[in-house]
């Protein structure tokens, strides 16, 4: 006769692994493409990433330096914003245009205007809004 064996199905507690330097560099390269699609200038991109303009230009040219914890968080939020927009809009071009469109949720400002406040929390605000819109 077959014997039943108890299998533990309890999920282990969630503990996120830190973003590695290689992952951060990949996210930076992806962000460059995203900035192009959003129509973000290099000066604006430097603000979004909280980098001096010269450092951003050097990194953009391929000499990516050490990305600290704040930079990794910024990149992660930008990737989250991109993902949410791809889920909210079937047509990717509508999502790219949404970034610069006026939005009542931001008192008539665009998401880009909010993010250009320069603080990590500005990026998080846009990401939280989009996550709420997609029901997550």
């Amino acid at each position: 006769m077959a014997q039943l064996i108890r299998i533990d199905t309890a999920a282990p507690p969630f503990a996120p692994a830190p973003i590695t330097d290689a992952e951060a560099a990949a996210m930076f390269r992806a962000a460059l493409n995203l900035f192009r699609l959003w129509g973000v200038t290099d000066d604006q991109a430097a603000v979004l990433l909280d980098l001096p303009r010269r450092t951003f230009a050097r990194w953009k040219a391929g000499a990516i330096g050490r990305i600290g914890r704040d930079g990794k968080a910024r990149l992660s939020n930008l990737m989250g914003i991109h993902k949410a927009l791809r889920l909210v809009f079937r047509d990717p071009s509508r999502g790219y245009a949404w970034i610069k469109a006026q939005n009542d949720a931001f008192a008539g400002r665009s998401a880009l205007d909010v993010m250009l406040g320069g603080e990590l929390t500005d990026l998080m605000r846009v990401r939280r809004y989009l996550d709420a819109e997609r029901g997550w």
Side-chain angles (χ1 to χ4, degrees):
M1 174 175 244
Q3 185 178 16
L4 295 176
I5 300 172
R6 182 171 176 80
I7 299 174
D8 183 14
T9 58
F14 178 72
I19 297 171
T20 67
D21 292 338
E23 290 168 333
M27 284 194 297
F28 178 81
R29 291 188 297 274
L32 291 178
N33 191 46
L34 189 58
F35 294 154
R36 180 183 57 78
L37 293 166
W38 285 352
V40 170
T41 67
D42 285 355
D43 287 336
Q44 291 171 326
V47 170
L48 294 174
L49 296 173
D50 194 29
L51 291 172
R53 178 66 176 82
R54 289 179 59 184
T55 301
F56 175 77
R58 189 172 60 251
W59 288 18
K60 184 178 177 183
I64 300 173
R66 183 184 172 287
I67 302 175
R69 190 171 170 181
D70 180 79
K72 290 175 181 179
R74 287 171 180 273
L75 288 165
S76 177
N77 275 280
L78 288 167
M79 295 301 107
I81 290 166
H82 172 60
K83 177 183 175 182
L85 287 171
R86 292 300 302 264
L87 292 170
V88 169
F89 296 103
R90 285 182 176 257
D91 177 12
S93 63
R94 288 187 61 206
Y96 302 140
W98 180 88
I99 287 293
K100 290 186 172 182
Q102 292 181 341
N103 191 316
D104 290 340
F106 304 130
R109 300 181 328 158
S110 71
L112 181 59
D113 290 336
V114 171
M115 293 187 294
L116 287 173
E119 299 295 330
L120 174 58
T121 53
D122 297 325
L123 298 175
M124 293 169 68
R125 178 178 175 201
V126 172
R127 183 175 182 178
R128 279 193 310 268
Y129 170 76
L130 287 167
D131 285 345
E133 282 297 307
R134 68 183 182 102
W136 201 66

